[in-house]
Amino acid sequence: MKISNESMSLIKSGLDRLVSRYSNIEGEVVTDIHFQPLFKSGEIVIFNDEDEELDRISVPEFQGLNSKTALKEVETILRRCLENHRKSFEQLPIMKPFSFVMVDLQKETLSELLLVDDDLVIASEGLLKDLDEDLNEFLKHLLAD
């Protein structure tokens, strides 16, 4: 999916507002910040654990999308944007760990986009991809000897 610089800027501004909102809140407990893409309107709704809407970002390229492929592409875009803001998120005075997750219309988690912990930040599934296969292959060779 091709996303315009203007849309990327809108997402960045939304994340900046999110950082600003939590910058002066000392020791707040937040476990998840949810991103809900609404393809009908072309928006991303950001809300907290208590379903309080924190922001709404309009992304024209998302309007009318409807497939699982589109969800994966939106996930990739959000991961990239969140990774670019990682240092800002790490410095927030929110009690860690907390996560950024993408959810569906029923608010069920589709994927974890970013986990912020004191010294640990997971921004990609790449590290754990195919881990089961690697472990099975390792055990197969270990037991064969």
Side-chain angles (χ1 to χ4, degrees):
M1 168 189 306
K2 196 94 162 125
I3 188 162
S4 69
N5 288 336
E6 182 180 335
S7 292
M8 289 298 283
S9 182
L10 291 170
I11 295 171
K12 180 190 178 309
S13 295
L15 295 177
D16 288 342
R17 289 189 299 272
L18 190 62
V19 168
S20 198
R21 176 186 185 96
Y22 284 110
S23 289
N24 298 321
I25 300 173
E26 198 65 40
E28 182 164 328
V29 176
V30 175
T31 56
D32 292 323
I33 296 174
H34 306 269
F35 288 77
Q36 183 181 54
L38 302 175
F39 294 132
K40 205 174 224 182
S41 63
E43 296 175 308
I44 299 171
V45 180
I46 303 171
F47 55 95
N48 64 16
D49 291 331
E50 296 166 10
D51 291 338
E52 175 188 2
E53 187 174 313
L54 304 174
D55 205 348
R56 192 174 279 257
I57 304 167
S58 178
V59 182
E61 289 89 347
F62 293 172
Q63 189 169 7
L65 297 177
N66 195 355
S67 69
K68 288 188 179 197
T69 305
L71 280 173
K72 276 295 190 194
E73 292 178 21
V74 169
E75 177 183 341
T76 301
I77 290 166
L78 290 175
R79 280 183 197 269
R80 187 173 359 126
C81 291
L82 288 166
E83 178 61 29
N84 290 339
H85 273 73
R86 179 174 47 117
K87 289 192 189 300
S88 299
F89 297 136
E90 289 174 335
Q91 294 173 0
L92 289 176
I94 298 174
M95 190 179 305
K96 293 174 182 66
F98 62 94
S99 298
F100 295 90
V101 296
M102 188 166 79
V103 297
D104 62 14
L105 295 175
Q106 291 75 37
K107 298 187 179 170
E108 295 292 324
T109 299
L110 297 171
S111 65
E112 186 171 278
L113 301 169
L114 180 75
L115 170 69
V116 181
D117 201 348
D118 288 328
D119 293 323
L120 173 69
V121 178
I122 298 174
S124 171
E125 296 173 351
L127 291 174
L128 299 177
K129 187 176 181 182
D130 301 323
L131 181 63
D132 284 340
E133 291 173 21
D134 291 343
L135 286 174
N136 287 338
E137 190 66 28
F138 172 75
L139 286 174
K140 181 179 166 184
H141 287 294
L142 183 66
L143 295 174
D145 292 338

